[in-house]
Amino acid sequence: MSLDRATFGVSDADLGLMVLEKTEMPEEFLGHQVVREGPLNNEAMAENGFANSTAERFKQAGRINGFMREFGPTSNMSAPDGFNFLAASVAHLFATPDSVVGWMQDVFLKDFEENIGEGVGEGHQLVSAQRLEPKNFFDEAVALRILQGGPTGLISSTVIDFRVGRILGVAFVGTVGDHERMDLATEVGLALEKRIVRIALGGG
């Protein structure tokens, strides 16, 4: 497939061009600001992962590097139940298209499903991980609705992983309380997919 072949020309430097700009985000995030962005190497991924996460494990899984951009609320925004406080897009580069599929199944889905009840992040606990069915993506895609509890209560994340050749795209929406945001995450994901394809094919 020509798109798969095109992604073999993608370098680390292209990953920063693949994540979404603020103007490409769904309308409700246009008032948010960039809260985190930058390269995401295997060491950084492992530091923020579950207990079995190591840079060597991720390297063995074929992951080379990534780039992420997160949009969060400005300081004057209130955060009631149901508020979508975070939206993020990530582009990960893998050795082969098959290693992207392996990661989606054996790292993303499996790690969350096997770590329910465990600690995640700062003072948070993973409460549940429910599989969802992504629609309208060009190739393989998987999704989870993740619920975690912390000092301030429940937070839910709707996360879609999808493949474009040897690129893994990730669309993420974080919401206050126990909610699913599949439509919103899909909107972010499809915009991200479009941008990844454009950059992979040599567009600006």
Side-chain angles (χ1 to χ4, degrees), residues 98-113:
D98 285 346
S99 54
V100 177
V101 177
W103 178 278
M104 289 159 71
Q105 298 296 331
D106 299 332
V107 178
F108 173 56
L109 294 178
K110 197 172 179 183
D111 277 9
F112 273 103
E113 290 174 345

Side-chain angles (χ1 to χ4, degrees), residues 115-161:
N115 282 281
I116 291 166
E118 299 297 321
V120 283
E122 297 157 9
H124 282 253
Q125 183 184 39
L126 182 59
V127 176
S128 66
Q130 171 197 358
R131 291 197 192 202
L132 303 171
E133 292 294 326
K135 291 183 172 65
N136 302 320
F137 287 88
F138 172 73
D139 208 321
E140 182 154 349
V142 296
L144 286 175
R145 187 182 79 103
I146 299 153
L147 188 64
Q148 57 192 64
T152 56
L154 292 173
I155 292 173
S156 47
S157 310
T158 306
V159 189
I160 301 174
D161 277 21

